[in-house]
Every structure is written in structure tokens, then in C-alpha cells.
Amino acid sequence: MAEESKLPIYGALGANIGIAVIKFIAASVTGSSAMLSEGIHSTVDSGNELLLLLGISRSKKPADQGHPFGHGKELYFWSLIVGILIFALGGGMSLYEGITHIQHPEPLKDPKWNYIVLAVSMFFEGGSLIIAVKKFNELRGKGTFWSELRASKDPSLFAVIYEDAAALAGLITAFLGVFLGHYFNNPIFDGVASIVIGLILCVVAVVMVVESRKLLIGESAQSDIVRGIYELVNQDEDISTVYYPLTMHLSPNEILLALDVQFRKDISLKEVVDAISRTENNIRAAFPDVKRIYIEAKNLAKSGEQIAREYREREEL
């Protein structure tokens, strides 16, 4: 993974730590349930960014005997944990706080501090979201923003975007809860806002868990990459038939490719080896994220790997 992809996480981490502190201070001063829920939200988000950084670090460990394909999926595992934490801690505690506040309403104090904190929080969360979206736009394909976001294989980007979008939605909800609670002199609005914030976090958490699960169990590369590989290999004159390429993401920027091909019947041993080498080089040049390629020759007495090994042995002689 490119080192630059950590920038959105660092931006979100710095913003969330500072925002969490001032939210808790404001909640203690004003007694706002929605503000307390937002403080919990920012604290959970701060922990989530640390877990994503941990996932990035562990995913870079080199391959070993126990993990011959590397540790790239560590990032997908920790992004799954992030989704679970958002649901359990962020969403669950916000729902609990909102329900408790409705059952035992407390008069709200001076809302001035709430408004100041919410304004500052919106500024920092908005800045964090802009950084993440800008980085994502630099890397995404030609599809729409939301379709590309759903298809993204990089939790360090899509997780931050989902979290920051949820944070802004939560801040708007908290503002409405505080404003309506004071306007109508009814603290119930504040508790309802806390429940809505909890529901927003639960929805975002479910989306993140679903996305992380697909990646963790072995999601294919994007359809345009698979189609591009097929068309590229199909252009080789020594290959008569290309079967559907099988791909799997080992990490955001590492794809495993298994490719079954059928060579011309009149092809020589040397031409088979040259065609395999040429095909691998062409694929890597066109699709740099394809790091591991396994080509199997169909309808041959020997596999492409056996042919290549025998050819190298003959060359050595």
C-alpha cells in the first residue's frame, strides 16, 4: 500500500482526538445527551483510526512459511473489527444514552457551548472528509463516486470516508437536537437526537462490516481489470483460447491471478515457454497490482509449469 494512503487516517485521527475532548467538556457543562453521544462517537473513531494504522503496519509483513501469500489481509481483518466497534460502542452506547435521557430527562443548560463545539467539530470533520475524498478521487476509476466507493478495496480510504460522513451527519443531528430542545424547552429532542446518531452509526457499521467481509473471504478484482486481463491475453497469437481469469485481492494493491489458457496445437516447447513469459510480463505492465500470476496450459500432456521447468533444465545443459 502506498504510504500516502495513510494521510486520510492521520487527518481523521488528529481531528477526532481534539474533537472528542471538547465534546466531552461541552457535554459536562451543558448536560446534553446528544453532545455526550457525539463525544463517544469521536472517541470510538479515534480508536478506529489507530486500528486501521495497525492493520496497515501488519499487512506489510513479508511472506513466510506459514503465510506464503503474505499478510495483506490483516488490513481487511482490522477494518472488520472497526465496523464491529462502531456498531457496538458508537451505535450501542449512543442508543443507550438517548433512551436513558428520554426516560429521565434533564433540563438543558446554556446551549452556547454546544453550538461553538458543534461548529468547530464540523470544520475539522469537514476538513478530514475533504482530504479523504480528494485522495480517493485521485485513485478511483471512471465510475460514479458512490459506485467506486462501494467497489473500493482499500479500507484506509473507504472506512475514513464512511466514518467522516457519519460524523457530519451526527453533528447535524446533534445541532438539531440541541436547537429544538431549547427552542421548545423540551429535553426529549436531545434524547431523540442521540438515538438518531446511534442509528446512523449502526447503519455505517453494517456497511463497513459487509465490505470488509467480502474482502476478507476473497473478493475478486474489479470487473474492468478482469475484463482487461482477458482481452490482453486473448490478443496473443500463440494462445487460441482464454478461460475466464480468476482473481482475488490479497491486499488493496496486490492481486492474485489464476489463468487457464489453451495454446495453439502446433506450438513448440520453446514457443510455449516464451508465450507464458510474455503473457506474464504484459499483464504486469498493464496491471501493476497483479503481483502473483499462475498460468495453466489446457489440453497439454504436461502443465505449463512442467514445460517451463523442463525447458530451463534443457537450457542449462
Side-chain angles (χ1 to χ4, degrees):
M1 180 184 303
E3 194 71 23
E4 294 78 15
S5 63
K6 291 184 179 180
L7 179 61
I9 301 180
Y10 287 134
L13 177 61
N16 282 319
I17 291 176
I19 291 171
V21 173
I22 60 176
K23 282 178 179 177
F24 281 127
I25 293 175
S28 64
V29 172
T30 63
S32 171
S33 173
M35 188 59 64
L36 180 59
S37 296
E38 276 299 301
I40 296 171
H41 178 188
S42 295
T43 302
V44 172
D45 282 353
S46 299
N48 291 341
E49 264 81 66
L50 292 174
L51 290 178
L52 288 175
L53 289 173
L54 174 64
I56 292 175
S57 176
R58 294 183 64 87
S59 69
K60 291 181 178 180
K61 292 172 61 178
D64 52 37
Q65 187 174 2
H67 301 84
F69 292 104
H71 297 76
K73 289 194 176 185
E74 282 271 9
L75 178 57
Y76 299 151
F77 169 77
W78 289 108
S79 67
L80 177 67
I81 298 301
V82 165
I84 295 173
L85 288 177
I86 291 176
F87 185 90
L89 296 181
M93 292 182 69
S94 294
L95 288 171
Y96 172 79
E97 177 63 26
I99 294 172
T100 301
H101 197 77
I102 291 176
Q103 292 175 337
H104 307 285
E106 297 180 4
L108 295 175
K109 303 174 184 178
D110 184 5
K112 177 180 65 177
W113 290 107
N114 282 337
Y115 294 138
I116 293 175
V117 171
L118 288 172
V120 173
S121 299
M122 287 181 184
F123 175 79
F124 284 109
E125 291 287 5
S128 175
L129 180 60
I130 290 173
I131 292 173
V133 170
K134 182 179 179 181
K135 182 62 181 179
F136 178 75
N137 284 333
E138 293 175 358
L139 302 175
R140 73 183 179 95
K142 299 180 181 179
T144 63
F145 177 83
W146 289 110
S147 64
E148 290 290 328
L149 184 63
R150 291 298 305 273
S152 175
K153 316 297 183 183
D154 191 349
S156 68
L157 286 176
F158 72 69
V160 174
I161 291 176
Y162 284 137
E163 284 184 0
D164 287 346
L168 283 175
L171 289 169
I172 293 172
T173 303
F175 172 83
L176 291 174
V178 173
F179 173 78
L180 293 175
H182 281 89
Y183 185 81
F184 292 103
N185 194 27
N186 187 347
I188 298 297
F189 285 103
D190 192 50
V192 171
S194 184
I195 292 176
V196 173
I197 292 171
L199 293 176
I200 291 173
L201 294 177
C202 288
V203 170
V204 170
V206 169
V207 172
M208 287 186 58
V209 167
V210 170
E211 294 297 323
S212 300
R213 171 189 169 274
K214 290 191 297 183
L215 291 166
L216 195 58
I217 63 177
E219 189 172 21
S220 170
Q222 294 187 21
S223 59
D224 57 334
I225 295 178
V226 177
R227 184 171 57 252
I229 292 173
Y230 175 86
E231 294 174 351
L232 177 65
V233 177
N234 199 40
Q235 293 173 1
D236 195 299
E237 296 180 353
D238 289 334
I239 297 176
S240 60
T241 304
V242 182
Y243 298 89
Y244 188 79
L246 303 178
T247 60
M248 182 174 66
H249 267 272
L250 301 176
S251 72
N253 302 113
E254 184 177 1
I255 299 173
L256 180 148
L257 168 65
L259 190 63
D260 291 344
V261 299
Q262 183 175 332
F263 293 98
R264 292 186 295 107
K265 293 183 179 180
D266 59 342
I267 197 169
S268 68
L269 182 63
K270 182 179 185 304
E271 288 173 325
V272 169
V273 177
D274 290 343
I276 292 175
S277 178
R278 180 173 61 250
T279 299
E280 291 181 350
N281 292 335
N282 290 340
I283 292 174
R284 288 193 173 96
F287 305 97
D289 286 347
V290 180
K291 299 295 195 302
R292 298 177 181 270
I293 303 176
Y294 299 91
I295 299 178
E296 180 175 350
K298 292 291 186 180
N299 294 341
L300 289 175
K302 300 176 181 179
S303 68
E305 182 181 352
Q306 290 174 314
I307 292 175
R309 183 171 61 251
E310 292 178 8
Y311 179 75
R312 286 194 297 269
E313 291 174 354
R314 290 188 183 185
E315 287 291 300
E316 292 175 357
L317 295 176

